Amino acid sequence: MNVFVTPSMLGQVVISGILSGALYAMVALGLALIFGVMRIINIAHGPLLMLGAYATYFLYSALGINPFLTVPVSMLALFVVGALLERTLVFRVVDAPELSSLLLTFGISIALVNLAQLAFTSDLRSVEYLTGAWLVGPFALSKARLVAFVFAGALTGLAFSFLQWTRLGKAIRATSQSREVAMVCGINVQRIHLFTFGLAAALAAAGGALIAVIVAIQPEMGQIWTFKSFLVIVLGGAGNYPGALLGGILLGLIEQVASLFLTTQLSEVVAYVLLVLVLLVRPAGLLGGRQT
């Protein structure tokens, strides 16, 4: 446990927290989209991220493609996977009680993890690319995390711009606000659900592709990301897209500051304690409930 904290140490953890928070925000944005539009909590979000990480690993190890250039390929592949899941399974529980969607997506999650264990085994795999750090004054910036931060920030910005300015994005927001009114206005809600689930899976895949250059890959790696994504949208407000960005940055900062004062094991507990506190004190999240 660290007792003495210098300004440079505090600055380092703030920078690290923001770098991690951008990734959290981008991954959680997909979960917030699905909940906002379809009212489904997708437990399979993390395993979809895991598939994106494996796609990057094999494209890098087998074909030698720059792992950051695999991001669009992983996104496209997982968009198709997400759309297929929505069209074959998820659409059946859109208007069902929330427990039904939780059980369904939990089952999908277990199936994806077990299929990955059969196909890829449980061995740890890594994408050794862009290792080391750049020194900027007293601060050390991990090369992989910094580039991942730039990609995550750009993709999050593109996603927000898409929702804000495009016709399809406006249709998604309208469906999130009121499905009935959207249908009256001529919006094909089933197609919006299909696209939304695919887009969320693509964002999860982008997160997996970027995380692959930072941490080791294994079939169960997505579980912790499902939890963190859920925590981010609880922090920001379920279904609130700007809230997902705020929640991601906050979670990254809180984790890094906690690691400065606590052991690694205890710092991980902080996230769980934070989830309980937010649910008790402000269950609607920092930015309130659903937002379009």
Side-chain angles (χ1 to χ4, degrees):
M1 178 185 299
N2 293 311
V3 177
F4 301 104
V5 178
T6 65
S8 62
M9 291 170 63
L10 191 58
Q12 182 69 59
V13 297
V14 169
I15 292 172
S16 299
I18 292 174
L19 296 183
S20 299
L23 270 176
Y24 293 159
M26 184 191 68
V27 174
L29 177 60
L31 201 62
L33 269 173
I34 292 176
F35 184 80
V37 175
M38 305 171 70
R39 305 298 292 171
I40 285 176
I41 298 174
N42 182 21
I43 303 297
H45 198 61
L48 291 171
L49 175 147
M50 173 270 293
L51 293 179
Y54 271 108
T56 289
Y57 170 79
F58 286 113
L59 287 171
Y60 173 71
S61 60
L63 303 178
I65 300 176
N66 184 311
F68 293 106
L69 297 181
T70 67
V71 172
V73 180
S74 298
M75 292 182 71
L76 180 61
L78 266 295
F79 178 90
V80 174
V81 172
L84 287 174
L85 286 175
E86 197 281 336
R87 186 49 58 199
T88 55
L89 298 172
V90 177
F91 82 95
R92 303 174 189 276
V93 295
V94 169
D95 292 319
E98 290 185 351
L99 182 60
S100 299
S101 63
L102 278 173
L103 290 174
L104 174 66
T105 56
F106 180 71
I108 294 172
S109 169
I110 296 296
L112 292 177
V113 171
N114 279 280
L115 286 173
Q117 287 175 335
L118 284 173
F120 312 133
T121 74
S122 296
D123 294 342
L124 294 176
R125 302 167 193 263
S126 61
V127 177
E128 295 182 1
Y129 184 82
L130 207 59
T131 57
W134 285 303
L135 293 177
V136 180
F139 307 119
L141 304 180
S142 165
K143 295 178 181 178
R145 286 184 180 275
L146 186 58
V147 176
F149 167 81
V150 172
F151 270 77
L155 288 171
T156 303
L158 285 173
F160 276 111
S161 300
F162 167 77
L163 292 172
Q164 187 68 33
W165 303 113
T166 67
R167 185 180 180 85
L168 183 54
K170 291 177 181 177
I172 291 174
R173 291 166 53 211
T175 306
S176 173
Q177 191 173 39
S178 174
R179 189 185 306 171
E180 290 74 19
V181 173
M183 292 175 69
V184 170
C185 293
I187 295 173
N188 188 324
V189 171
Q190 282 70 37
R191 288 185 182 176
I192 294 297
H193 288 175
L194 178 72
F195 186 85
T196 299
F197 207 90
L199 177 60
L203 288 171
L210 296 175
I211 292 163
V213 299
I214 299 174
V215 300
I217 304 166
Q218 47 95 6
E220 296 181 350
M221 65 179 290
Q223 294 174 354
I224 185 64
W225 282 89
T226 297
F227 167 74
K228 289 186 176 182
S229 298
F230 181 65
L231 175 54
V232 166
I233 66 171
V234 168
L235 272 174
N240 190 309
Y241 312 141
L245 178 60
L246 174 64
I249 298 297
L250 280 178
L251 178 60
L253 288 172
I254 290 168
E255 281 187 344
Q256 292 299 320
V257 172
S259 68
L260 188 61
F261 297 99
L262 303 173
T263 62
T264 303
Q265 290 77 13
L266 285 176
S267 64
E268 293 179 354
V269 174
V270 171
Y272 294 88
V273 174
L274 180 64
L275 174 62
V276 174
L277 289 177
V278 171
L279 288 173
L280 287 175
V281 178
R282 194 174 172 80
L286 298 178
L287 296 186
R290 298 175 67 189
Q291 183 269 348
T292 59

